[in-house]
Amino acid sequence: MKHRIWELDTFRGICVLGMVIIHFLYDLIDLYQIVSWDYPVAVKFVMDWGGLLFIALSGVCATLGRRSVRRGLVVLACGLIISAATYGMYYFGYAYKSIIIYFGVLHCLGLCMILWWIFKRFPTWLLAVLGIAFIALGFYLQTQPRVDVYYLMPFGLPWKRFSSSDYFPLLPNLGYFLVGSVIGRTVYRKKETLLPMVNPKNFLIRGLNFCGKHSLWIYMLHQPILAGISMLLLMAK
């Protein structure tokens, strides 16, 4: 985006900060079992829907920017680094096997961005139809029994005994990405803010915008930092 739309960066910043909070609570409650809290309703809502909103937002932004394939390859590479890191945690005995991220949000987003190079040629109405169809198909696959075919896992059919700390299959998430692209082509067709009366230089908005603009770096760096904090808390317990 040559001229960034501030509310999109703000919303992305809110999403990424929510993700940091969720991951920190996951470390404290499930991974290291430092505390024995129950997740509040608001936290459960973010856990269930935060990733969906972030993927849809990425679909909106895909219609406003360029070089989606290059950005997608970078995001996908970061996802593979996360996979290697989580496997290392399991291999060296720092976590259970369920910590391994085989196909998480970065893998999914990276592939969605790469596939956008194809989908961007489609008319908006067709993107809407495909988006709804992919979402419906994804929910249908969730009702099906698991299989012992490993290569179907990225599409929404994980193998038996599959578990992962972060799993975002292409179906239904590619559908949410395409729905976001429809919003980008319609609501943001002029490629300008929808809230011109709001001052984007507000301190809070500037902070959220910073997080939104650097969301990939925050995602890559926050978990090692949170793990270090959790280990210190575990030692002090």
Side-chain angles (χ1 to χ4, degrees), residues 161-183:
R161 301 184 185 88
F162 172 85
S163 61
S164 176
S165 60
D166 185 37
Y167 179 45
F168 281 80
L170 282 174
L171 299 173
N173 292 296
L174 177 57
Y176 297 130
F177 184 91
L178 293 181
V179 169
S181 73
V182 172
I183 296 173

Side-chain angles (χ1 to χ4, degrees), residues 43-186:
V43 172
K44 290 182 178 180
F45 177 83
V46 175
M47 292 174 70
D48 292 337
W49 299 102
L52 179 158
L53 294 175
F54 191 81
I55 290 174
L57 178 61
S58 298
V60 175
C61 295
T63 66
L64 305 173
R66 299 179 180 178
R67 298 189 290 271
S68 63
V69 173
R70 188 175 74 176
R71 293 199 308 272
L73 289 172
V74 171
V75 173
L76 181 58
C78 290
L80 294 175
I81 292 172
I82 295 293
S83 293
T86 54
Y87 179 80
M89 293 175 64
Y90 160 70
Y91 182 82
F92 291 106
Y94 292 108
Y96 294 109
K97 190 174 183 179
S98 59
I99 194 67
I100 301 175
I101 297 176
Y102 300 94
F103 199 86
V105 65
L106 293 187
H107 303 75
C108 182
L109 273 179
L111 282 180
C112 287
M113 292 176 182
I114 293 170
L115 291 172
W116 176 244
W117 182 78
I118 299 173
F119 285 113
K120 69 180 181 181
R121 292 165 171 75
F122 294 1
T124 303
W125 68 265
L126 182 55
L127 292 177
V129 170
L130 290 174
I132 295 172
F134 289 157
I135 292 171
L137 181 57
F139 278 105
Y140 170 75
L141 291 178
Q142 292 175 13
T143 67
Q144 300 305 298
R146 295 189 174 189
V147 296
D148 282 329
V149 183
Y150 293 96
Y151 62 81
L152 293 178
M153 177 268 298
F155 301 99
L157 275 176
W159 60 84
K160 296 176 182 177
R161 301 184 185 88
F162 172 85
S163 61
S164 176
S165 60
D166 185 37
Y167 179 45
F168 281 80
L170 282 174
L171 299 173
N173 292 296
L174 177 57
Y176 297 130
F177 184 91
L178 293 181
V179 169
S181 73
V182 172
I183 296 173
R185 282 190 175 180
T186 54

